[in-house]
PDB file of all heavy atoms in Angstrom:
ATOM      1  N   SER A  51      35.036 -21.320 146.011  1.00  0.00           N
ATOM      2  CA  SER A  51      35.329 -22.778 146.012  1.00  0.00           C
ATOM      3  C   SER A  51      36.803 -23.034 146.383  1.00  0.00           C
ATOM      4  O   SER A  51      37.678 -22.340 145.952  1.00  0.00           O
ATOM      5  CB  SER A  51      35.025 -23.350 144.662  1.00  0.00           C
ATOM      6  OG  SER A  51      35.432 -24.710 144.579  1.00  0.00           O
ATOM      7  N   ASN A  52      37.030 -24.140 147.102  1.00  0.00           N
ATOM      8  CA  ASN A  52      38.379 -24.590 147.421  1.00  0.00           C
ATOM      9  C   ASN A  52      38.903 -25.641 146.418  1.00  0.00           C
ATOM     10  O   ASN A  52      39.944 -26.243 146.622  1.00  0.00           O
ATOM     11  CB  ASN A  52      38.384 -25.237 148.792  1.00  0.00           C
ATOM     12  CG  ASN A  52      38.083 -24.204 149.905  1.00  0.00           C
ATOM     13  OD1 ASN A  52      38.580 -23.075 149.892  1.00  0.00           O
ATOM     14  ND2 ASN A  52      37.276 -24.629 150.905  1.00  0.00           N
ATOM     15  N   ALA A  53      38.171 -25.828 145.322  1.00  0.00           N
ATOM     16  CA  ALA A  53      38.523 -26.767 144.300  1.00  0.00           C
ATOM     17  C   ALA A  53      39.878 -26.445 143.677  1.00  0.00           C
ATOM     18  O   ALA A  53      40.304 -25.328 143.607  1.00  0.00           O
ATOM     19  CB  ALA A  53      37.440 -26.854 143.238  1.00  0.00           C
ATOM     20  N   THR A  54      40.528 -27.534 143.189  1.00  0.00           N
ATOM     21  CA  THR A  54      41.624 -27.366 142.276  1.00  0.00           C
ATOM     22  C   THR A  54      41.120 -26.749 140.988  1.00  0.00           C
ATOM     23  O   THR A  54      40.163 -27.280 140.422  1.00  0.00           O
ATOM     24  CB  THR A  54      42.313 -28.716 142.006  1.00  0.00           C
ATOM     25  OG1 THR A  54      42.863 -29.180 143.213  1.00  0.00           O
ATOM     26  CG2 THR A  54      43.432 -28.575 140.955  1.00  0.00           C
ATOM     27  N   ILE A  55      41.720 -25.643 140.537  1.00  0.00           N
ATOM     28  CA  ILE A  55      41.279 -24.928 139.372  1.00  0.00           C
ATOM     29  C   ILE A  55      42.287 -25.146 138.261  1.00  0.00           C
ATOM     30  O   ILE A  55      43.510 -24.898 138.453  1.00  0.00           O
ATOM     31  CB  ILE A  55      41.100 -23.407 139.596  1.00  0.00           C
ATOM     32  CG1 ILE A  55      40.105 -23.187 140.777  1.00  0.00           C
ATOM     33  CG2 ILE A  55      40.613 -22.695 138.355  1.00  0.00           C
ATOM     34  CD1 ILE A  55      40.065 -21.731 141.270  1.00  0.00           C
ATOM     35  N   VAL A  56      41.814 -25.535 137.132  1.00  0.00           N
ATOM     36  CA  VAL A  56      42.666 -25.813 135.921  1.00  0.00           C
ATOM     37  C   VAL A  56      42.236 -24.862 134.773  1.00  0.00           C
ATOM     38  O   VAL A  56      41.103 -24.913 134.378  1.00  0.00           O
ATOM     39  CB  VAL A  56      42.611 -27.236 135.434  1.00  0.00           C
ATOM     40  CG1 VAL A  56      43.564 -27.475 134.321  1.00  0.00           C
ATOM     41  CG2 VAL A  56      42.965 -28.201 136.602  1.00  0.00           C
ATOM     42  N   CYS A  57      43.166 -24.061 134.408  1.00  0.00           N
ATOM     43  CA  CYS A  57      42.884 -23.097 133.265  1.00  0.00           C
ATOM     44  C   CYS A  57      43.613 -23.615 132.038  1.00  0.00           C
ATOM     45  O   CYS A  57      44.816 -23.673 131.977  1.00  0.00           O
ATOM     46  CB  CYS A  57      43.424 -21.689 133.678  1.00  0.00           C
ATOM     47  SG  CYS A  57      43.112 -20.471 132.313  1.00  0.00           S
ATOM     48  N   LYS A  58      42.782 -23.922 131.012  1.00  0.00           N
ATOM     49  CA  LYS A  58      43.319 -24.404 129.736  1.00  0.00           C
ATOM     50  C   LYS A  58      43.699 -23.187 128.901  1.00  0.00           C
ATOM     51  O   LYS A  58      42.887 -22.209 128.790  1.00  0.00           O
ATOM     52  CB  LYS A  58      42.294 -25.223 129.011  1.00  0.00           C
ATOM     53  CG  LYS A  58      41.859 -26.506 129.729  1.00  0.00           C
ATOM     54  CD  LYS A  58      40.919 -27.355 128.954  1.00  0.00           C
ATOM     55  CE  LYS A  58      39.477 -26.721 128.959  1.00  0.00           C
ATOM     56  NZ  LYS A  58      38.485 -27.672 128.349  1.00  0.00           N
ATOM     57  N   ARG A  59      44.906 -23.143 128.326  1.00  0.00           N
ATOM     58  CA  ARG A  59      45.410 -21.981 127.639  1.00  0.00           C
ATOM     59  C   ARG A  59      45.847 -22.320 126.183  1.00  0.00           C
ATOM     60  O   ARG A  59      46.749 -21.665 125.685  1.00  0.00           O
ATOM     61  CB  ARG A  59      46.558 -21.391 128.473  1.00  0.00           C
ATOM     62  CG  ARG A  59      46.196 -21.087 129.867  1.00  0.00           C
ATOM     63  CD  ARG A  59      47.368 -20.546 130.684  1.00  0.00           C
ATOM     64  NE  ARG A  59      47.670 -19.131 130.314  1.00  0.00           N
ATOM     65  CZ  ARG A  59      48.774 -18.543 130.673  1.00  0.00           C
ATOM     66  NH1 ARG A  59      49.739 -19.144 131.364  1.00  0.00           N
ATOM     67  NH2 ARG A  59      48.957 -17.241 130.409  1.00  0.00           N
ATOM     68  N   GLY A  60      45.229 -23.323 125.593  1.00  0.00           N
ATOM     69  CA  GLY A  60      45.532 -23.643 124.226  1.00  0.00           C
ATOM     70  C   GLY A  60      46.984 -24.026 124.022  1.00  0.00           C
ATOM     71  O   GLY A  60      47.480 -24.871 124.754  1.00  0.00           O
ATOM     72  N   PRO A  61      47.658 -23.421 123.023  1.00  0.00           N
ATOM     73  CA  PRO A  61      49.072 -23.794 122.796  1.00  0.00           C
ATOM     74  C   PRO A  61      50.011 -23.527 123.927  1.00  0.00           C
ATOM     75  O   PRO A  61      51.175 -24.128 123.919  1.00  0.00           O
ATOM     76  CB  PRO A  61      49.420 -22.937 121.543  1.00  0.00           C
ATOM     77  CG  PRO A  61      48.435 -21.783 121.576  1.00  0.00           C
ATOM     78  CD  PRO A  61      47.177 -22.326 122.141  1.00  0.00           C
ATOM     79  N   MET A  62      49.640 -22.739 124.886  1.00  0.00           N
ATOM     80  CA  MET A  62      50.495 -22.473 126.056  1.00  0.00           C
ATOM     81  C   MET A  62      50.311 -23.554 127.133  1.00  0.00           C
ATOM     82  O   MET A  62      50.885 -23.480 128.194  1.00  0.00           O
ATOM     83  CB  MET A  62      50.211 -21.078 126.665  1.00  0.00           C
ATOM     84  CG  MET A  62      50.621 -19.956 125.717  1.00  0.00           C
ATOM     85  SD  MET A  62      50.407 -18.336 126.520  1.00  0.00           S
ATOM     86  CE  MET A  62      48.613 -18.233 126.687  1.00  0.00           C
ATOM     87  N   GLY A  63      49.460 -24.587 126.854  1.00  0.00           N
ATOM     88  CA  GLY A  63      49.290 -25.638 127.871  1.00  0.00           C
ATOM     89  C   GLY A  63      48.200 -25.303 128.880  1.00  0.00           C
ATOM     90  O   GLY A  63      47.108 -24.895 128.506  1.00  0.00           O
ATOM     91  N   CYS A  64      48.556 -25.369 130.125  1.00  0.00           N
ATOM     92  CA  CYS A  64      47.581 -25.102 131.211  1.00  0.00           C
ATOM     93  C   CYS A  64      48.266 -24.643 132.433  1.00  0.00           C
ATOM     94  O   CYS A  64      49.516 -24.798 132.547  1.00  0.00           O
ATOM     95  CB  CYS A  64      46.757 -26.331 131.496  1.00  0.00           C
ATOM     96  SG  CYS A  64      47.669 -27.688 132.203  1.00  0.00           S
ATOM     97  N   VAL A  65      47.515 -24.100 133.353  1.00  0.00           N
ATOM     98  CA  VAL A  65      48.087 -23.708 134.654  1.00  0.00           C
ATOM     99  C   VAL A  65      47.103 -24.128 135.729  1.00  0.00           C
ATOM    100  O   VAL A  65      45.858 -24.035 135.548  1.00  0.00           O
ATOM    101  CB  VAL A  65      48.365 -22.192 134.672  1.00  0.00           C
ATOM    102  CG1 VAL A  65      47.152 -21.405 134.449  1.00  0.00           C
ATOM    103  CG2 VAL A  65      49.059 -21.734 135.986  1.00  0.00           C
ATOM    104  N   VAL A  66      47.578 -24.616 136.854  1.00  0.00           N
ATOM    105  CA  VAL A  66      46.734 -25.183 137.919  1.00  0.00           C
ATOM    106  C   VAL A  66      46.912 -24.428 139.246  1.00  0.00           C
ATOM    107  O   VAL A  66      48.056 -24.057 139.566  1.00  0.00           O
ATOM    108  CB  VAL A  66      47.110 -26.654 138.134  1.00  0.00           C
ATOM    109  CG1 VAL A  66      46.246 -27.273 139.197  1.00  0.00           C
ATOM    110  CG2 VAL A  66      46.969 -27.439 136.779  1.00  0.00           C
ATOM    111  N   PHE A  67      45.856 -24.209 139.931  1.00  0.00           N
ATOM    112  CA  PHE A  67      45.899 -23.518 141.249  1.00  0.00           C
ATOM    113  C   PHE A  67      45.220 -24.432 142.296  1.00  0.00           C
ATOM    114  O   PHE A  67      44.068 -24.829 142.092  1.00  0.00           O
ATOM    115  CB  PHE A  67      45.187 -22.153 141.155  1.00  0.00           C
ATOM    116  CG  PHE A  67      45.743 -21.302 140.057  1.00  0.00           C
ATOM    117  CD1 PHE A  67      45.153 -21.253 138.794  1.00  0.00           C
ATOM    118  CD2 PHE A  67      46.884 -20.534 140.281  1.00  0.00           C
ATOM    119  CE1 PHE A  67      45.665 -20.440 137.791  1.00  0.00           C
ATOM    120  CE2 PHE A  67      47.392 -19.706 139.287  1.00  0.00           C
ATOM    121  CZ  PHE A  67      46.791 -19.696 138.018  1.00  0.00           C
ATOM    122  N   THR A  68      45.895 -24.682 143.370  1.00  0.00           N
ATOM    123  CA  THR A  68      45.334 -25.551 144.407  1.00  0.00           C
ATOM    124  C   THR A  68      45.005 -24.798 145.695  1.00  0.00           C
ATOM    125  O   THR A  68      44.191 -25.356 146.475  1.00  0.00           O
ATOM    126  CB  THR A  68      46.407 -26.666 144.779  1.00  0.00           C
ATOM    127  OG1 THR A  68      47.621 -26.056 145.164  1.00  0.00           O
ATOM    128  CG2 THR A  68      46.651 -27.576 143.541  1.00  0.00           C
ATOM    129  N   GLY A  69      45.606 -23.721 145.990  1.00  0.00           N
ATOM    130  CA  GLY A  69      45.301 -22.990 147.230  1.00  0.00           C
ATOM    131  C   GLY A  69      45.079 -21.519 146.948  1.00  0.00           C
ATOM    132  O   GLY A  69      44.324 -21.166 145.961  1.00  0.00           O
ATOM    133  N   ALA A  70      45.702 -20.716 147.708  1.00  0.00           N
ATOM    134  CA  ALA A  70      45.577 -19.265 147.486  1.00  0.00           C
ATOM    135  C   ALA A  70      46.097 -18.911 146.072  1.00  0.00           C
ATOM    136  O   ALA A  70      47.096 -19.438 145.649  1.00  0.00           O
ATOM    137  CB  ALA A  70      46.327 -18.511 148.544  1.00  0.00           C
ATOM    138  N   ILE A  71      45.394 -18.014 145.428  1.00  0.00           N
ATOM    139  CA  ILE A  71      45.797 -17.619 144.084  1.00  0.00           C
ATOM    140  C   ILE A  71      47.018 -16.659 144.177  1.00  0.00           C
ATOM    141  O   ILE A  71      46.967 -15.630 144.891  1.00  0.00           O
ATOM    142  CB  ILE A  71      44.629 -16.947 143.369  1.00  0.00           C
ATOM    143  CG1 ILE A  71      43.391 -17.826 143.335  1.00  0.00           C
ATOM    144  CG2 ILE A  71      45.048 -16.590 141.908  1.00  0.00           C
ATOM    145  CD1 ILE A  71      43.589 -19.152 142.747  1.00  0.00           C
ATOM    146  N   PRO A  72      48.095 -16.994 143.411  1.00  0.00           N
ATOM    147  CA  PRO A  72      49.292 -16.181 143.512  1.00  0.00           C
ATOM    148  C   PRO A  72      49.121 -14.833 142.814  1.00  0.00           C
ATOM    149  O   PRO A  72      48.071 -14.485 142.251  1.00  0.00           O
ATOM    150  CB  PRO A  72      50.348 -17.016 142.823  1.00  0.00           C
ATOM    151  CG  PRO A  72      49.561 -17.841 141.837  1.00  0.00           C
ATOM    152  CD  PRO A  72      48.262 -18.132 142.534  1.00  0.00           C
ATOM    153  N   ALA A  73      50.212 -14.031 142.781  1.00  0.00           N
ATOM    154  CA  ALA A  73      50.176 -12.706 142.198  1.00  0.00           C
ATOM    155  C   ALA A  73      50.037 -12.702 140.732  1.00  0.00           C
ATOM    156  O   ALA A  73      49.476 -11.761 140.156  1.00  0.00           O
ATOM    157  CB  ALA A  73      51.401 -11.884 142.621  1.00  0.00           C
ATOM    158  N   SER A  74      50.485 -13.773 140.118  1.00  0.00           N
ATOM    159  CA  SER A  74      50.438 -13.821 138.623  1.00  0.00           C
ATOM    160  C   SER A  74      49.977 -15.160 138.124  1.00  0.00           C
ATOM    161  O   SER A  74      50.216 -16.165 138.807  1.00  0.00           O
ATOM    162  CB  SER A  74      51.829 -13.596 138.057  1.00  0.00           C
ATOM    163  OG  SER A  74      51.923 -13.906 136.658  1.00  0.00           O
ATOM    164  N   ILE A  75      49.263 -15.193 137.065  1.00  0.00           N
ATOM    165  CA  ILE A  75      48.764 -16.435 136.493  1.00  0.00           C
ATOM    166  C   ILE A  75      49.876 -17.333 136.132  1.00  0.00           C
ATOM    167  O   ILE A  75      49.770 -18.583 136.160  1.00  0.00           O
ATOM    168  CB  ILE A  75      47.898 -16.169 135.264  1.00  0.00           C
ATOM    169  CG1 ILE A  75      47.049 -17.448 134.921  1.00  0.00           C
ATOM    170  CG2 ILE A  75      48.679 -15.641 134.067  1.00  0.00           C
ATOM    171  CD1 ILE A  75      45.969 -17.217 133.868  1.00  0.00           C
ATOM    172  N   GLU A  76      51.088 -16.776 135.843  1.00  0.00           N
ATOM    173  CA  GLU A  76      52.265 -17.580 135.502  1.00  0.00           C
ATOM    174  C   GLU A  76      52.856 -18.303 136.702  1.00  0.00           C
ATOM    175  O   GLU A  76      53.729 -19.135 136.501  1.00  0.00           O
ATOM    176  CB  GLU A  76      53.311 -16.715 134.824  1.00  0.00           C
ATOM    177  CG  GLU A  76      52.839 -15.989 133.599  1.00  0.00           C
ATOM    178  CD  GLU A  76      52.312 -16.950 132.501  1.00  0.00           C
ATOM    179  OE1 GLU A  76      52.783 -18.076 132.443  1.00  0.00           O
ATOM    180  OE2 GLU A  76      51.478 -16.485 131.704  1.00  0.00           O
ATOM    181  N   ASP A  77      52.393 -17.987 137.910  1.00  0.00           N
ATOM    182  CA  ASP A  77      52.941 -18.638 139.114  1.00  0.00           C
ATOM    183  C   ASP A  77      52.243 -19.894 139.487  1.00  0.00           C
ATOM    184  O   ASP A  77      52.531 -20.473 140.520  1.00  0.00           O
ATOM    185  CB  ASP A  77      52.885 -17.622 140.285  1.00  0.00           C
ATOM    186  CG  ASP A  77      53.806 -16.432 140.042  1.00  0.00           C
ATOM    187  OD1 ASP A  77      54.838 -16.591 139.326  1.00  0.00           O
ATOM    188  OD2 ASP A  77      53.584 -15.334 140.536  1.00  0.00           O
ATOM    189  N   GLY A  78      51.246 -20.265 138.712  1.00  0.00           N
ATOM    190  CA  GLY A  78      50.548 -21.521 139.045  1.00  0.00           C
ATOM    191  C   GLY A  78      51.359 -22.728 138.637  1.00  0.00           C
ATOM    192  O   GLY A  78      52.488 -22.627 138.109  1.00  0.00           O
ATOM    193  N   ILE A  79      50.834 -23.892 138.917  1.00  0.00           N
ATOM    194  CA  ILE A  79      51.557 -25.174 138.602  1.00  0.00           C
ATOM    195  C   ILE A  79      51.386 -25.472 137.098  1.00  0.00           C
ATOM    196  O   ILE A  79      50.268 -25.391 136.583  1.00  0.00           O
ATOM    197  CB  ILE A  79      51.036 -26.323 139.449  1.00  0.00           C
ATOM    198  CG1 ILE A  79      51.232 -26.008 140.929  1.00  0.00           C
ATOM    199  CG2 ILE A  79      51.675 -27.612 139.068  1.00  0.00           C
ATOM    200  CD1 ILE A  79      50.470 -26.930 141.858  1.00  0.00           C
ATOM    201  N   LYS A  80      52.476 -25.908 136.428  1.00  0.00           N
ATOM    202  CA  LYS A  80      52.416 -26.144 135.077  1.00  0.00           C
ATOM    203  C   LYS A  80      53.053 -27.498 134.696  1.00  0.00           C
ATOM    204  O   LYS A  80      53.797 -28.012 135.492  1.00  0.00           O
ATOM    205  CB  LYS A  80      53.112 -25.011 134.247  1.00  0.00           C
ATOM    206  CG  LYS A  80      52.548 -23.661 134.395  1.00  0.00           C
ATOM    207  CD  LYS A  80      53.368 -22.605 133.695  1.00  0.00           C
ATOM    208  CE  LYS A  80      52.863 -21.180 133.930  1.00  0.00           C
ATOM    209  NZ  LYS A  80      53.677 -20.204 133.235  1.00  0.00           N
ATOM    210  N   GLY A  81      52.736 -27.958 133.521  1.00  0.00           N
ATOM    211  CA  GLY A  81      53.432 -29.110 132.953  1.00  0.00           C
ATOM    212  C   GLY A  81      53.916 -28.760 131.613  1.00  0.00           C
ATOM    213  O   GLY A  81      53.681 -27.655 131.065  1.00  0.00           O
ATOM    214  N   PRO A  82      54.671 -29.632 130.962  1.00  0.00           N
ATOM    215  CA  PRO A  82      55.223 -29.358 129.649  1.00  0.00           C
ATOM    216  C   PRO A  82      54.095 -29.157 128.631  1.00  0.00           C
ATOM    217  O   PRO A  82      53.037 -29.832 128.611  1.00  0.00           O
ATOM    218  CB  PRO A  82      56.058 -30.612 129.313  1.00  0.00           C
ATOM    219  CG  PRO A  82      55.466 -31.677 130.150  1.00  0.00           C
ATOM    220  CD  PRO A  82      54.977 -31.039 131.402  1.00  0.00           C
ATOM    221  N   GLY A  83      54.284 -28.141 127.766  1.00  0.00           N
ATOM    222  CA  GLY A  83      53.372 -27.952 126.639  1.00  0.00           C
ATOM    223  C   GLY A  83      53.930 -28.569 125.371  1.00  0.00           C
ATOM    224  O   GLY A  83      55.104 -28.873 125.279  1.00  0.00           O
ATOM    225  N   PHE A  84      53.073 -28.739 124.375  1.00  0.00           N
ATOM    226  CA  PHE A  84      53.448 -29.426 123.199  1.00  0.00           C
ATOM    227  C   PHE A  84      52.958 -28.660 121.976  1.00  0.00           C
ATOM    228  O   PHE A  84      51.812 -28.780 121.533  1.00  0.00           O
ATOM    229  CB  PHE A  84      52.920 -30.835 123.129  1.00  0.00           C
ATOM    230  CG  PHE A  84      53.304 -31.657 124.329  1.00  0.00           C
ATOM    231  CD1 PHE A  84      52.331 -31.905 125.359  1.00  0.00           C
ATOM    232  CD2 PHE A  84      54.597 -32.184 124.513  1.00  0.00           C
ATOM    233  CE1 PHE A  84      52.662 -32.607 126.461  1.00  0.00           C
ATOM    234  CE2 PHE A  84      54.902 -32.921 125.669  1.00  0.00           C
ATOM    235  CZ  PHE A  84      53.928 -33.162 126.636  1.00  0.00           C
ATOM    236  N   PRO A  85      53.791 -27.752 121.450  1.00  0.00           N
ATOM    237  CA  PRO A  85      53.399 -26.977 120.259  1.00  0.00           C
ATOM    238  C   PRO A  85      53.204 -27.825 119.032  1.00  0.00           C
ATOM    239  O   PRO A  85      54.168 -28.509 118.595  1.00  0.00           O
ATOM    240  CB  PRO A  85      54.569 -25.979 120.084  1.00  0.00           C
ATOM    241  CG  PRO A  85      55.731 -26.625 120.693  1.00  0.00           C
ATOM    242  CD  PRO A  85      55.197 -27.446 121.879  1.00  0.00           C
ATOM    243  N   VAL A  86      52.012 -27.855 118.536  1.00  0.00           N
ATOM    244  CA  VAL A  86      51.693 -28.670 117.340  1.00  0.00           C
ATOM    245  C   VAL A  86      50.836 -27.855 116.394  1.00  0.00           C
ATOM    246  O   VAL A  86      50.329 -26.762 116.761  1.00  0.00           O
ATOM    247  CB  VAL A  86      50.911 -29.970 117.762  1.00  0.00           C
ATOM    248  CG1 VAL A  86      51.718 -30.846 118.611  1.00  0.00           C
ATOM    249  CG2 VAL A  86      49.587 -29.590 118.416  1.00  0.00           C
ATOM    250  N   GLU A  87      50.799 -28.341 115.158  1.00  0.00           N
ATOM    251  CA  GLU A  87      49.968 -27.661 114.176  1.00  0.00           C
ATOM    252  C   GLU A  87      48.483 -27.895 114.512  1.00  0.00           C
ATOM    253  O   GLU A  87      48.066 -28.987 114.835  1.00  0.00           O
ATOM    254  CB  GLU A  87      50.237 -28.256 112.769  1.00  0.00           C
ATOM    255  CG  GLU A  87      49.317 -27.662 111.698  1.00  0.00           C
ATOM    256  CD  GLU A  87      49.351 -28.451 110.404  1.00  0.00           C
ATOM    257  OE1 GLU A  87      50.284 -28.180 109.582  1.00  0.00           O
ATOM    258  OE2 GLU A  87      48.527 -29.356 110.239  1.00  0.00           O
ATOM    259  N   VAL A  88      47.695 -26.807 114.498  1.00  0.00           N
ATOM    260  CA  VAL A  88      46.246 -26.886 114.805  1.00  0.00           C
ATOM    261  C   VAL A  88      45.513 -27.280 113.536  1.00  0.00           C
ATOM    262  O   VAL A  88      45.599 -26.579 112.524  1.00  0.00           O
ATOM    263  CB  VAL A  88      45.727 -25.537 115.358  1.00  0.00           C
ATOM    264  CG1 VAL A  88      44.229 -25.655 115.542  1.00  0.00           C
ATOM    265  CG2 VAL A  88      46.396 -25.229 116.703  1.00  0.00           C
ATOM    266  N   TYR A  89      44.839 -28.414 113.626  1.00  0.00           N
ATOM    267  CA  TYR A  89      44.028 -28.920 112.504  1.00  0.00           C
ATOM    268  C   TYR A  89      42.568 -28.778 112.779  1.00  0.00           C
ATOM    269  O   TYR A  89      41.773 -28.367 111.970  1.00  0.00           O
ATOM    270  CB  TYR A  89      44.413 -30.375 112.253  1.00  0.00           C
ATOM    271  CG  TYR A  89      43.849 -31.041 111.023  1.00  0.00           C
ATOM    272  CD1 TYR A  89      44.168 -30.458 109.758  1.00  0.00           C
ATOM    273  CD2 TYR A  89      43.055 -32.139 111.054  1.00  0.00           C
ATOM    274  CE1 TYR A  89      43.702 -31.079 108.615  1.00  0.00           C
ATOM    275  CE2 TYR A  89      42.649 -32.760 109.935  1.00  0.00           C
ATOM    276  CZ  TYR A  89      42.925 -32.243 108.711  1.00  0.00           C
ATOM    277  OH  TYR A  89      42.435 -32.858 107.576  1.00  0.00           O
ATOM    278  N   ASN A  90      42.172 -29.111 114.029  1.00  0.00           N
ATOM    279  CA  ASN A  90      40.772 -29.004 114.447  1.00  0.00           C
ATOM    280  C   ASN A  90      40.697 -28.917 115.943  1.00  0.00           C
ATOM    281  O   ASN A  90      41.101 -29.863 116.655  1.00  0.00           O
ATOM    282  CB  ASN A  90      40.011 -30.239 113.962  1.00  0.00           C
ATOM    283  CG  ASN A  90      38.554 -30.276 114.475  1.00  0.00           C
ATOM    284  OD1 ASN A  90      37.975 -29.181 114.740  1.00  0.00           O
ATOM    285  ND2 ASN A  90      38.039 -31.462 114.643  1.00  0.00           N
ATOM    286  N   VAL A  91      40.149 -27.800 116.474  1.00  0.00           N
ATOM    287  CA  VAL A  91      40.117 -27.644 117.926  1.00  0.00           C
ATOM    288  C   VAL A  91      38.926 -28.277 118.541  1.00  0.00           C
ATOM    289  O   VAL A  91      38.867 -28.433 119.784  1.00  0.00           O
ATOM    290  CB  VAL A  91      40.106 -26.152 118.261  1.00  0.00           C
ATOM    291  CG1 VAL A  91      41.335 -25.409 117.730  1.00  0.00           C
ATOM    292  CG2 VAL A  91      38.818 -25.439 117.812  1.00  0.00           C
ATOM    293  N   LEU A  92      37.899 -28.712 117.756  1.00  0.00           N
ATOM    294  CA  LEU A  92      36.710 -29.242 118.321  1.00  0.00           C
ATOM    295  C   LEU A  92      37.015 -30.589 119.084  1.00  0.00           C
ATOM    296  O   LEU A  92      37.589 -31.494 118.540  1.00  0.00           O
ATOM    297  CB  LEU A  92      35.678 -29.503 117.241  1.00  0.00           C
ATOM    298  CG  LEU A  92      35.323 -28.239 116.439  1.00  0.00           C
ATOM    299  CD1 LEU A  92      34.437 -28.632 115.258  1.00  0.00           C
ATOM    300  CD2 LEU A  92      34.628 -27.234 117.281  1.00  0.00           C
ATOM    301  N   GLY A  93      36.556 -30.633 120.341  1.00  0.00           N
ATOM    302  CA  GLY A  93      36.811 -31.795 121.132  1.00  0.00           C
ATOM    303  C   GLY A  93      38.103 -31.877 121.857  1.00  0.00           C
ATOM    304  O   GLY A  93      38.359 -32.780 122.599  1.00  0.00           O
TER     305      GLY A  93
END
């Protein structure tokens, strides 16, 4: 698929891939993460 791929990584935020996949998962597009206390992950 040529789709934009978004990988959710929990407390590490997420990483996005729009074209060719780079050498490392850390080389994808990212935004700021927000470390918070986990109370309930459902939903």
Side-chain angles (χ1 to χ4, degrees):
S51 174
N52 293 321
T54 296
I55 303 170
V56 182
C57 179
K58 298 182 285 187
R59 306 177 75 193
M62 294 187 292
C64 65
V65 59
V66 180
F67 304 95
T68 57
I71 305 302
S74 167
I75 194 170
E76 302 301 333
D77 294 332
I79 299 169
K80 300 176 183 178
F84 306 102
V86 297
E87 177 193 273
V88 174
Y89 190 59
N90 174 27
V91 301
L92 302 174

